[in-house]
Amino acid sequence: MAVAAYASLVSLTHVLDDVRYRAELRRLHVDIKIIETYQGSIDFLLEFVDVHSRKESQRIDGLWRQISKVAFEAEEIFDLHVVNQIQLRSEGVKADLGFSALNKDIERVIQKINSIKEELLVEEALLQVVESGKKPKAFYHGGTSLATPSVGKNKIVGLDEHVEAIVDLLTRDEPALQIIPIVGMGGIGKTTLAKAVFDNQYIVNHFDRRIWLTISQDYIVENILEGLLNDGKVRTPDGAGDGLREALYKELFDRRYLIVLDDVWSEQTWNDFRMCFPRNNNRSRVVITTRLENVAGCLSPHSSYSMTFLDENKSWSLFCQIIFAKEDFPNPELEEFARKIVKSCKGLPLEIIVIGGLLAKSDMSREYWKSVADNVSSYANFEDDEHCLKILSLSYNNLPIHLKPCFLFMSSYPEDCKIDVNELIWKWIASGFIRVVKEKSLEDIAMDNIKNLSSRNLIFVYSLRNSGEIERCSIHDLVRDMCRKEFDKEQFITSPKMQEVKYSRGFRRQGEAACFICGCYTMYNQDSTYFSESVLCSSCRAMYSHVRRARLVGIMSDSYDRFEFVHPARLRHTFVSTQVRYALVSNSEQDIDVIANARWKPVLSELHLLWNLQILKLHLYSLQSRVIFPDEIWEMTQLRHIEVYGNGAILPDPHVCDEGFIILKTLQCLYEIWNFKCTKNVLERIPDLKTLKISYDSDYEPSVGSSDDHSLCNLIRHHNLSSLKIYGLPENIAFPSSLKELYLYGSICKIPWSGMSIIGLLPKLEKLDLVNATEGSEWNPGEGEFLRLKILYIVCNNLVQWEADMGNFPVLERLKLFHVSSLKEIPSGIGDIPTLRRIELIGCNIAAMNSAYEIWKEQQDVENEILEILVCHASEWISINDFITRRR
């Protein structure tokens, strides 16, 4: 339960930071000194949990549980008092009426924390006494791994090519000692491969001495060396570490040796043993197996060997070998189920071996095989005391505690889900799992966590963005099952921090409604005033079992009645809990009830009561009007991401007050804002904005000159903006040098091709969309422009002459020309850009098509097989060669 305690404390630190910030700006009446004392106590507990999270005792588990409960209670207290003060303030009532009550409640919680601190210190002393009396445990093992398939000595399905590759690496004529890491997730066959290589007859003959050391997570160097040397009947004068190392060194000296270090978990392992291995330039080798990419990279940055999942054919062969000791399937009646089972294993040898071994001992009945096919993951852990989960759990146990809550969250995604990384990061942040580290943003820290989990082979990269960052990831079903089991064991105590509501559902039949947290249909008790008995599905009721009452704020309504803190069974309104940090309110883009939904209106006058809100998404496709944010939006200190789909939103002008203004220092995304006024007053409040999508009406009144207060030229001072998308650009603009992505659509004030240097000289620009945003007929890019541009998309009907070569777009990867109907030819030098992979053409004239064909032929003549040029013809993409051939 240490992970739940840690996560609850990290979540509470974010609440305390916000409370303190509001108090410093006099937006909240609370004793700052009490908050500082509170923060000190929480920091102590965090460090204690971090250091002692692996300690086990019934007593300390109970203390972890107490920490979770106290942190939960503290968040409830702050939510109650902060919301009440915000509401009183908005009604013009003196908010200091609740000052003493808030301070008293905080002091009461601090007393509970101090009591827990005292008990933890006593327990720490007891654990140290107990551990000091333990005898060290030896972890020397010989033989093969539990994952080694028993399919015969001469045949290891799916590993033949890997064995050949490793044997080749080990026997190359390179005299210096080399380290060769074999890397992959638990159960993928690293130990099996290493053992096959170790026992390979050519390897046996090639090396004078072969030594196999199984390391595991906990090991004692002296015990491993002593066991090894005694097994080899080498006498040592004493059992001291240096003496044992020296003895092994002498044993290996002047011999060509192969050392296998199996199951290595840290770089320290190599440091513990490396002095034992002589460097005699006689082609000796060390092989390590590890689940951790960073360990492999540290030990041998250029020679690591990555294990991948088996493909469908090899998985099938291994499955047949395990059950029938042959490579074909002799029972046609069962083959349908067998194929489904193998597909569900997704190429993980461990799972195939365990399931195959189980089926080999079965009565071969259709009923049993069908049951296994429908529940593969469950059966993989059915025998041998959950053998698969035990192996995979080693990777989880090795995680530092700050990664464990993030990893356990992955169990909330369904099987086979391709997880959007940005969405995952926002949900981690909203859950309060990401701890502040120096000056880094929470998003950057969370992305580091993604990469860390990937390097440990616990999650897998499914796709990358054009920038090279991870776009989507996935998790193997067996790992997900292990994740869910560990999550249930932790028993998180939490309040509803995330809500995803589809407001158009309402009632489906009598007594049934959509769960107001996740949107699933469920039965409800309309007369209840308790949160736990309201419109909640069974899973949400279990998750939030400690929440008795909730303060609810209306966001959408089909009437204009004033509402706040109302029971969620009144489904004429859509409600969000005041403790929510991530809110998605949406209706389907294909909603059949569009006309009925037109009466729904966003009523956001109480939005500021969602004081902890960080991510707000309004996907309101059926609304007939734009969302209008209240003035209080500028008081919501935790906002990180505002996203409005449909008709967009109107952002009010912020007011200047005597108390000074709040800086929304974490707001990074505004998407999509209409008629955005780029004033100094606005920009000063959002200094860390990174993504901005804005649109303008055709009748929007632009500023007269660049010195005007709301001129878009003010954007040049916004040095953190990396992505800018503008529809209907109404006036001249100056772009910040930080831009990586720029999208201009349907501009009223068009940029002349002759003035394109304003964009071309942006030093970081990687992606550019120009859709009916330009004027003029000739484009001659200058030297030193577009030096980092990778993707260029042009839609226009005015460009006639374009002069360019590889010097203008040196790293261009993709060029899209859509309806560039006047262009006489695509510059031939474009084809010589070494990074160019793809040109796409739609609606271009035949002269441009012919020039594209000439570019393709020239590149074929120099054997450039990478560049493809595609034309959209009759609603399908075909190659330029096929297009010209058909036309002829």
Side-chain angles (χ1 to χ4, degrees):
M1 297 180 183
V3 178
Y6 180 87
S8 63
L9 290 171
V10 173
S11 177
L12 183 55
T13 62
H14 295 296
V15 173
L16 291 172
D17 286 341
D18 187 31
V19 167
R20 181 172 176 171
Y21 183 52
R22 289 174 179 270
E24 289 171 345
L25 291 170
R26 298 182 181 179
R27 298 303 201 277
L28 188 67
H29 289 267
V30 63
D31 190 330
I32 294 179
K33 290 184 178 179
I34 293 180
I35 298 299
E36 290 174 347
T37 301
Y38 199 3
Q39 286 178 315
S41 297
I42 298 303
D43 289 340
F44 169 84
L45 291 179
L46 270 171
E47 297 307 319
F48 191 97
V49 177
D50 196 354
V51 172
H52 299 287
S53 62
R54 299 180 190 272
K55 301 286 176 65
E56 294 182 4
S57 76
Q58 187 174 357
R59 174 72 177 155
I60 203 166
D61 281 347
L63 291 172
W64 298 149
R65 187 70 173 168
Q66 285 185 45
I67 288 174
S68 296
K69 288 182 176 179
V70 170
F72 172 82
E73 180 184 349
E75 287 200 14
E76 289 277 295
I77 287 171
F78 279 115
D79 185 62
L80 171 65
H81 287 284
V82 172
V83 170
N84 285 343
Q85 285 200 26
I86 292 174
Q87 191 172 34
L88 289 171
R89 178 185 174 88
S90 65
E91 294 173 356
V93 179
K94 282 190 174 183
D96 57 0
L97 292 176
F99 177 76
S100 59
L102 174 55
N103 290 334
K104 188 178 295 184
D105 282 346
I106 295 173
E107 288 176 343
R108 178 168 52 82
V109 174
I110 291 176
Q111 288 176 2
K112 290 184 179 182
I113 289 175
N114 289 336
S115 176
I116 294 173
K117 284 169 61 175
E118 292 174 4
E119 293 186 61
L120 285 172
L121 292 172
V122 172
E123 184 65 17
E124 179 185 33
L126 290 173
L127 287 171
Q128 288 175 348
V129 170
V130 171
E131 290 178 358
S132 64
K134 287 183 179 179
K135 292 184 178 180
K137 184 177 179 182
F139 280 85
Y140 169 75
H141 301 285
T144 60
S145 162
L146 290 171
T148 305
S150 54
V151 294
K153 294 181 179 179
N154 300 321
K155 183 70 172 177
I156 301 177
V157 176
L159 290 183
D160 291 349
E161 61 188 58
H162 296 299
V163 171
E164 291 177 8
I166 299 295
V167 168
D168 180 62
L169 288 172
L170 294 176
T171 56
R172 285 180 179 175
D173 194 20
E174 172 59 48
L177 177 67
Q178 290 191 334
I179 307 170
I180 300 168
I182 300 175
V183 192
M185 74 171 283
I188 206 165
K190 302 181 297 297
T191 300
T192 302
L193 171 59
K195 188 62 177 172
V197 171
F198 189 79
D199 292 335
N200 181 275
Q201 192 58 50
Y202 187 77
I203 293 296
V204 172
N205 296 334
H206 183 78
F207 291 97
D208 305 322
R209 187 82 160 89
R210 295 174 304 121
I211 297 174
W212 182 284
L213 298 176
T214 300
I215 305 299
S216 298
Q217 287 180 323
D218 300 307
Y219 64 91
I220 297 173
V221 177
E222 288 75 11
N223 289 359
I224 291 178
L225 293 177
E226 195 168 45
L228 171 68
L229 292 167
N230 289 338
D231 183 58
K233 297 182 174 56
V234 178
R235 292 197 170 190
T236 55
D238 55 57
D242 292 341
L244 293 169
R245 287 184 176 87
E246 184 179 353
L248 181 56
Y249 185 90
K250 290 178 178 178
E251 167 72 8
L252 298 176
F253 195 78
D254 283 342
R255 295 189 181 190
R256 183 189 300 163
Y257 58 83
L258 169 65
I259 310 292
V260 177
L261 301 177
D262 184 40
D263 203 14
V264 172
W265 290 87
S266 71
E267 187 181 355
Q268 182 60 41
T269 300
W270 174 247
N271 294 330
D272 288 338
F273 288 98
R274 63 188 179 88
M275 299 304 295
C276 305
F277 308 141
R279 295 177 176 269
N280 290 336
N281 290 326
N282 61 356
R283 291 185 292 166
S284 292
R285 302 288 185 261
V286 176
V287 172
I288 70 167
T289 70
T290 181
R291 306 182 189 195
L292 310 178
E293 298 279 359
N294 62 322
V295 170
C298 289
L299 300 183
S300 184
H302 306 298
S303 304
S304 62
Y305 191 86
S306 295
M307 292 288 290
T308 56
F309 293 108
L310 300 178
D311 62 27
E312 187 175 344
N313 291 333
K314 290 175 181 175
S315 296
W316 180 251
S317 296
L318 176 59
F319 184 74
C320 295
Q321 283 282 351
I322 294 295
I323 302 176
F324 304 109
K326 55 177 69 174
E327 291 193 17
D328 55 1
F329 196 84
N331 193 331
E333 291 186 1
L334 300 176
E335 185 166 347
E336 174 190 352
F337 304 123
R339 294 284 182 184
K340 184 177 179 181
I341 290 167
V342 171
K343 184 177 181 180
S344 296
C345 291
K346 297 180 181 175
L348 184 64
L350 173 65
E351 190 170 9
I352 296 171
I353 291 164
V354 171
I355 291 288
L358 185 68
L359 292 170
K361 293 181 283 186
S362 72
D363 59 1
M364 300 293 169
S365 67
R366 284 179 56 86
E367 292 75 14
Y368 184 72
W369 279 60
K370 181 179 185 303
S371 175
V372 174
D374 293 338
N375 302 278
V376 170
S377 296
S378 298
Y379 278 94
N381 293 292
F382 183 71
E383 287 195 345
D384 203 7
D385 193 21
E386 298 190 333
H387 174 56
C388 290
L389 285 186
K390 280 192 169 182
I391 290 176
L392 296 174
S393 291
L394 292 174
S395 294
Y396 171 73
N397 294 335
N398 186 253
L399 288 175
I401 195 166
H402 74 274
L403 288 178
K404 286 184 176 179
C406 297
F407 178 63
L408 294 184
F409 185 85
M410 309 290 282
S411 66
S412 64
Y413 287 92
E415 290 185 359
D416 304 322
C417 181
K418 305 302 181 291
I419 302 168
D420 182 275
V421 165
N422 280 344
E423 193 73 21
L424 176 61
I425 285 173
W426 293 330
K427 290 183 176 180
W428 279 351
I429 292 172
S431 299
F433 293 157
I434 308 300
R435 190 177 180 184
V436 175
V437 179
K438 296 181 180 178
E439 298 300 319
K440 294 185 73 172
S441 71
L442 297 185
E443 286 79 5
D444 288 342
I445 297 168
M447 180 57 78
D448 289 343
N449 289 356
I450 294 277
K451 294 174 181 176
N452 201 329
L453 291 172
S454 174
S455 72
R456 293 167 180 270
N457 288 290
L458 282 168
I459 64 174
F460 304 100
V461 176
Y462 186 77
S463 62
L464 298 174
R465 301 186 187 280
N466 294 320
S467 62
E469 288 286 358
I470 302 173
E471 179 181 39
R472 290 189 291 172
C473 65
S474 60
I475 182 171
H476 194 278
D477 291 347
L478 261 190
V479 178
R480 178 181 174 274
D481 289 346
M482 180 265 291
C483 207
R484 180 175 291 277
K485 182 180 178 182
E486 294 291 342
F487 181 88
D488 292 341
K489 187 191 301 182
E490 284 292 333
Q491 299 178 21
F492 282 78
I493 301 174
T494 186
S495 55
K497 295 183 174 71
M498 289 182 287
Q499 283 187 239
E500 299 187 13
V501 184
K502 292 186 176 177
Y503 70 84
S504 62
R505 287 183 174 183
F507 296 99
R508 189 163 64 170
R509 54 179 181 262
Q510 188 66 31
E512 188 179 56
C515 171
F516 94 105
I517 296 292
C518 68
C520 298
Y521 283 107
T522 187
M523 303 302 291
Y524 77 99
N525 181 352
Q526 191 166 8
D527 297 325
S528 172
T529 59
Y530 287 96
F531 177 85
S532 59
E533 298 172 356
S534 60
V535 187
L536 290 173
C537 64
S538 57
S539 60
C540 286
R541 185 176 295 114
M543 176 68 72
Y544 307 117
S545 59
H546 288 78
V547 180
R548 300 303 300 159
R549 294 179 182 273
R551 290 161 291 280
L552 304 172
V553 173
I555 284 191
M556 302 292 299
S557 177
D558 62 354
S559 68
Y560 289 97
D561 299 333
R562 180 177 176 80
F563 53 79
E564 67 269 354
F565 309 146
V566 188
H567 187 265
R570 287 179 54 193
L571 290 178
R572 286 164 60 85
H573 309 306
T574 296
F575 296 95
V576 176
S577 166
T578 56
Q579 290 185 305
V580 79
R581 301 181 186 179
Y582 175 107
L584 167 60
V585 181
S586 68
N587 69 302
S588 172
E589 203 166 356
Q590 292 81 31
D591 201 321
I592 60 173
D593 196 20
V594 171
I595 297 176
N597 281 330
R599 69 176 184 269
W600 284 83
K601 300 292 181 184
V603 182
L604 304 178
S605 58
E606 307 295 336
L607 184 67
H608 60 296
L609 296 177
L610 306 179
W611 67 288
N612 252 324
L613 188 64
Q614 299 179 358
I615 293 98
L616 176 61
K617 296 184 174 187
L618 301 175
H619 294 187
L620 309 177
Y621 299 102
S622 64
L623 291 188
Q624 302 301 307
S625 59
R626 292 173 189 153
V627 173
I628 300 177
F629 285 118
D631 294 343
E632 290 81 3
I633 192 79
W634 297 107
E635 302 277 318
M636 299 178 67
T637 60
Q638 294 295 296
L639 282 174
R640 313 184 73 86
H641 185 96
I642 297 176
E643 176 180 294
V644 184
Y645 281 96
N647 284 318
I650 302 293
L651 197 65
D653 294 332
H655 297 299
V656 179
C657 62
D658 296 336
E659 296 173 336
F661 58 82
I662 288 178
I663 296 176
L664 306 186
K665 51 189 176 183
T666 60
L667 184 61
Q668 298 186 32
C669 175
L670 280 174
Y671 193 107
E672 158 187 28
I673 305 300
W674 276 84
N675 300 331
F676 180 74
K677 292 183 179 179
C678 192
T679 65
K680 180 182 177 183
N681 197 15
V682 168
L683 296 181
E684 284 181 346
R685 284 167 166 78
I686 50 175
D688 199 38
L689 194 69
K690 292 180 171 62
T691 301
L692 177 63
K693 178 186 176 183
I694 50 181
S695 301
Y696 291 91
D697 290 318
S698 57
D699 59 354
Y700 175 80
E701 294 185 10
S703 58
V704 177
S706 60
S707 61
D708 279 21
D709 181 55
H710 67 273
S711 168
L712 284 169
C713 290
N714 291 329
L715 276 177
I716 198 170
R717 304 189 189 99
H718 218 68
H719 301 301
N720 291 318
L721 195 65
S722 61
S723 178
L724 176 62
K725 184 176 291 188
I726 305 178
Y727 285 80
L729 177 68
E731 61 190 28
N732 290 329
I733 185 172
F735 300 107
S737 60
S738 54
L739 281 183
K740 292 183 178 180
E741 300 177 355
L742 175 61
Y743 311 86
L744 299 176
Y745 294 89
S747 298
I748 297 170
C749 178
K750 300 183 184 297
I751 298 176
W753 288 111
S754 59
M756 195 55 63
S757 293
I758 188 178
I759 295 175
L761 291 174
L762 293 173
K764 298 180 180 180
L765 191 67
E766 297 179 356
K767 186 173 183 181
L768 175 62
D769 285 11
L770 297 171
V771 178
N772 298 322
T774 56
E775 63 182 2
S777 60
E778 187 172 344
W779 185 20
N780 298 306
E783 290 296 324
E785 297 182 10
F786 301 105
L787 296 181
R788 296 182 64 175
L789 192 68
K790 295 179 180 179
I791 300 175
L792 176 59
Y793 174 39
I794 300 175
V795 178
C796 72
N797 58 10
N798 52 30
L799 183 60
V800 178
Q801 191 73 30
W802 181 17
E803 299 292 338
D805 57 31
M806 61 184 296
N808 300 118
F809 304 94
V811 296
L812 191 67
E813 297 176 1
R814 189 171 181 179
L815 173 64
K816 299 188 289 184
L817 301 177
F818 290 8
H819 305 289
V820 188
S821 54
S822 300
L823 185 64
K824 291 182 177 179
E825 67 173 357
I826 301 171
S828 59
I830 291 288
D832 296 326
I833 299 174
T835 55
L836 190 63
R837 298 290 180 268
R838 188 181 180 102
I839 298 176
E840 299 173 17
L841 305 172
I842 295 179
C844 297
N845 62 43
I846 191 60
M849 296 291 189
N850 287 333
S851 66
Y853 180 63
E854 292 302 320
I855 290 173
W856 178 79
K857 285 200 304 180
E858 289 174 6
Q859 295 306 307
Q860 290 293 301
D861 291 342
V862 296
E863 299 182 349
N864 180 0
E865 301 294 335
I866 297 175
L867 176 63
E868 60 176 349
I869 303 179
L870 301 177
V871 179
C872 187
H873 177 69
S875 300
E876 67 171 332
W877 289 98
I878 61 175
S879 70
I880 188 67
N881 185 43
D882 288 346
F883 174 79
I884 296 297
T885 301
R886 289 184 190 183
R887 185 173 177 81
R888 288 174 178 172

